[in-house]
Each structure stands twice: as structure tokens, then as C-alpha cells.
Amino acid sequence: MPPILTVVTPSYNQGRYLQETIDSVLSQGIPGLEYIIVDGGSTDESVEVIKRHARHLTWWVSEKDQGQSHAINKGLARATGRWVAYLNSDDLYLPGALRALLDALDDAPAARWLVGG
């Protein structure tokens, strides 16, 4: 059965923020969460941070790309979740954010996408 949710994080030289971003995703407690990180070939500590969490990631890569949109599209190409979200590598999900997202989607079965304010 495919995962209910895929989160894609594009990143490039955001090592100083990446740990907190990854923690904010992994601490959401969503069973079967698919988490993908697409790094654009960072030259800072990003790859080391990603490697520390590799066992919790569905897929990750660090290679030169054509920018944020390209990185997101590479992640989307790998995504198998019913729903997909992306979180930049210098942003955070507040506790319960993904559960609130999934609950809102459950309450709107005809929805094709959802945005927050």
C-alpha cells in the first residue's frame, strides 16, 4: 500500500538549518511517512546532516541540479504518497501540522490540493 503522505525537502547549502527541518518532519508521527530530500550538491555540512538521518528517509540525493524547482520536481518524480507536500530546508513544521493537513484532506474528499494561511 502506498504511503498516505510524501514530504519533499529541496536543499542547497542549508546545513545550519537542515537538522531542525528534518527533525520537524520526522517528529510529526505520521505512520508510513515517505520523506525525500533533494540536495543540490551542497559544499557545507548538509550531506553529513542528511546521512545521519538516512535510515528514516525514503530517498535522498546530493548532486548538482538546476535550482529549487528542479529539486522539487526530482523529489516529486520519486514520490509515491497519495498526498505530497514540500518543505524548504530552512523551514519547519509545527507539531501536529501534518496531522492537521491529513485531517483537513479527510474532511474534503473531493479536494485535489490544500493550502494554509
Side-chain angles (χ1 to χ4, degrees):
M1 185 161 118
I4 189 74
L5 179 64
T6 301
V7 174
V8 176
T9 294
S11 184
Y12 180 68
N13 284 338
Q14 294 290 321
R16 65 181 175 226
Y17 307 110
L18 194 53
Q19 178 68 51
E20 198 171 6
T21 299
I22 293 170
D23 289 344
S24 82
V25 174
L26 296 178
S27 68
Q28 293 291 311
I30 303 299
L33 175 72
E34 182 176 65
Y35 191 21
I36 295 171
I37 299 177
V38 183
D39 179 77
S42 291
T43 57
D44 66 357
E45 67 272 17
S46 295
V47 173
E48 289 76 27
V49 173
I50 296 167
K51 284 181 178 180
R52 284 197 301 265
H53 298 282
R55 64 186 157 90
H56 299 292
L57 304 176
T58 304
W59 183 75
W60 73 275
V61 67
S62 181
E63 62 189 16
K64 187 167 177 51
D65 58 36
Q66 298 168 15
Q68 181 183 30
S69 297
H70 185 234
I72 292 168
N73 284 329
K74 283 168 58 174
L76 293 176
R78 295 276 185 156
T80 63
R82 177 172 179 219
W83 300 106
V84 178
Y86 80 87
L87 180 68
N88 290 326
S89 56
D90 61 352
D91 288 332
L92 304 172
Y93 284 132
L94 294 175
L98 294 182
R99 174 53 43 212
L101 167 70
L102 293 173
D103 290 347
L105 289 166
D106 283 345
D107 290 344
R112 296 183 52 93
W113 56 274
L114 182 72
V115 296

